Amino acid sequence: MKDLLEGIKTKNGGSYSNVFNDDMLWLGNASMRAYNATGDTDYLDVAKLLWDDVLQSYSDVVGGGIAWKKNTPNSKNTVSNGPAIILAIRLYEVTGEEGYLSCAKSIYAWEKENLIDPDNGEVWDNIHLENGNAEVQKEWVFTYNMGTWIGAGVWLYKSTGEAGYLADALRTAQTILTSSKITNNSILKNEGQGDGGLFKGIFVRYFTQLLLEDDVSNIDRQVFIDFLKYNAKTFYKKGLSRPDMLASPNWNAAWNAAPGDKTDLTTQLSGAMLIEAAAKLEAEGYY
């Protein structure tokens, strides 16, 4: 991890700052996980630096929120706000600094008001200014954004004990089970390779955190476990090419001729994260 951080900094001209706020937020969250695992304050310092850098892209444009990129101040995307909430809570938990918690709550409230369907908890991709008017991109609904919203709710619930955060996460999770925008025959949809290849894995990480939360009802937990288990079994039986065990972005159908002897790292990671989650549930006696 140290080599990774140093390599990124060197490749980026001696700085962690980047035009893509979402990428910096993922590095910040990874650095916090490394800090929690090792106690090495170098990781905490990087996470703080990244947080401070990203926060510069917060503005009152469309009422608040963090811009997707530094050079797109008029577009506020879920991809840069959900992970920001999670990073802020991680920092709050280890530092005790109330400013992090306050930011997390503020960004969460803004995202809920602007990018979450009030009827079912569906998560929209972005809100942006178009000819001076605020428009929401409701057609783009991704597993990734649904996952980070669930994660934000779980993390805030753990830190505050406020039931509304957990209720929000549960509503979005329940919508995922049946939404044709997210699933196809109860399998998380194919979102392609490249960046999209990683979307389902990110969702699985935070969905698993939700279903392991003690205050989730046994009924909801079992429904979520059944859903995850069905995806894992289907992926293992149908979504892998053999004998190479390469993951397809379609968890219900392995590649035929393609990808041949390769697949994108993002796609492979999502498959690995799915099986890892299933193994964790099995080890903890849930099935």
Side-chain angles (χ1 to χ4, degrees), residues 244-264:
D244 298 322
M245 303 298 280
L246 297 179
S248 167
N250 183 350
W251 286 355
N252 201 26
W255 298 102
N256 294 319
D261 61 351
K262 66 180 181 180
T263 193
D264 285 357

Side-chain angles (χ1 to χ4, degrees), residues 43 64 75 107 134 175 184 224 233:
Y43 297 124
S75 181
I107 296 169
T175 290
N184 183 14
F224 295 156
K233 284 191 169 185

Side-chain angles (χ1 to χ4, degrees), residues 30-105:
S31 296
M32 286 306 299
R33 294 176 71 202
Y35 171 73
N36 289 333
T38 66
D40 188 332
T41 56
D42 285 352
Y43 297 124
L44 179 58
D45 290 342
V46 170
K48 287 180 175 179
L49 185 153
L50 289 163
W51 169 257
D52 290 342
D53 191 294
V54 167
L55 202 57
Q56 295 178 36
S57 292
Y58 183 94
S59 75
D60 291 332
V61 173
V62 295
I66 294 171
W68 171 40
K69 299 191 296 180
K70 291 176 179 176
N71 59 1
T72 61
N74 291 333
S75 181
K76 305 294 183 67
N77 296 43
T78 302
V79 73
S80 54
N81 285 276
I85 298 164
I86 295 168
L87 178 57
I89 293 297
R90 289 186 193 274
L91 286 165
Y92 167 69
E93 289 194 342
V94 302
T95 67
E97 295 179 19
E98 290 291 333
Y100 291 122
L101 178 60
S102 178
C103 280
K105 288 181 173 181

